[in-house]
Amino acid sequence: MALPSTEWKKYESYDIAVDPKQGDRATELRLTNFSRPHMRAFYISTFSFFIAFLSWFSFAPLMPEVKKDLGLTKNEVYSANITAVTATVAARFVIGPLCDTFGARQTFSLLLFLGCIPTYFSGLVQNAQDLTIIRFFIGILGAT
């Protein structure tokens, strides 16, 4: 009589090839497959990164219009852009250890949740100082 396996698995079988020696990680990529857990996680991660990038990059194509509307100087635009990039670099030093501690899914979800707040309020910008502050907080989304 064979002994039952003591190893816990969430799924009995997978629709794609996996490596049992590496915790059932996928060994192939089937782009037309939406099965759980591997490919569904792949597509949700891709969509989440797209949303983060869209929010992070949202000001760049609109900057000529924002500059004209707010009457900004070239230096004020540069300051807002530099602030956004600086926030991205600084946030990566914080996000990395958070991913190690809490896992990438929880950290990324928190980052998207917190990043939606300054993105939502970006329409309320009235001057260069507001723009720089909003760009700083939106720049944190670039740490994805």
Side-chain angles (χ1 to χ4, degrees), residues 24 26 64 78 89 115 125-126:
D24 290 340
Y78 289 157
V89 172
V125 170
Q126 296 292 318

Side-chain angles (χ1 to χ4, degrees), residues 70-117:
L70 299 178
L72 302 175
T73 66
K74 196 180 253 186
N75 285 337
E76 290 171 332
V77 171
Y78 289 157
S79 295
N81 291 341
I82 290 169
T83 302
V85 173
T86 303
T88 299
V89 172
R92 288 185 181 192
F93 287 109
V94 176
I95 298 299
L98 288 175
C99 283
D100 293 340
T101 305
F102 300 108
R105 283 184 289 173
Q106 286 80 12
T107 304
F108 195 52
S109 298
L110 179 67
L111 188 63
L112 283 175
F113 178 73
L114 294 178
C116 75
I117 298 166

Side-chain angles (χ1 to χ4, degrees), residues 7 9 14 17-27 38:
E7 184 178 332
K9 290 186 177 191
Y14 301 103
V18 296
D19 185 0
K21 294 179 183 175
Q22 294 187 14
D24 290 340
R25 290 188 178 156
T27 59
H38 301 94

Side-chain angles (χ1 to χ4, degrees), residues 36-103:
R36 293 182 81 159
H38 301 94
M39 294 310 297
R40 191 165 297 172
F42 171 77
Y43 282 109
I44 290 172
S45 300
T46 303
F47 182 70
S48 298
F49 178 76
F50 171 75
I51 295 298
F53 184 80
L54 186 68
S55 295
W56 180 62
F57 192 69
S58 61
F59 264 103
L62 299 173
M63 194 51 79
E65 197 64 33
V66 171
K67 179 181 176 185
K68 187 173 79 173
D69 267 0
L70 299 178
L72 302 175
T73 66
K74 196 180 253 186
N75 285 337
E76 290 171 332
V77 171
Y78 289 157
S79 295
N81 291 341
I82 290 169
T83 302
V85 173
T86 303
T88 299
V89 172
R92 288 185 181 192
F93 287 109
V94 176
I95 298 299
L98 288 175
C99 283
D100 293 340
T101 305
F102 300 108

Side-chain angles (χ1 to χ4, degrees), residues 16 28-35 39 42-43 46:
I16 60 175
E28 63 182 346
L29 183 64
R30 289 190 195 162
L31 295 178
T32 57
N33 187 343
F34 295 95
S35 62
M39 294 310 297
F42 171 77
Y43 282 109
T46 303

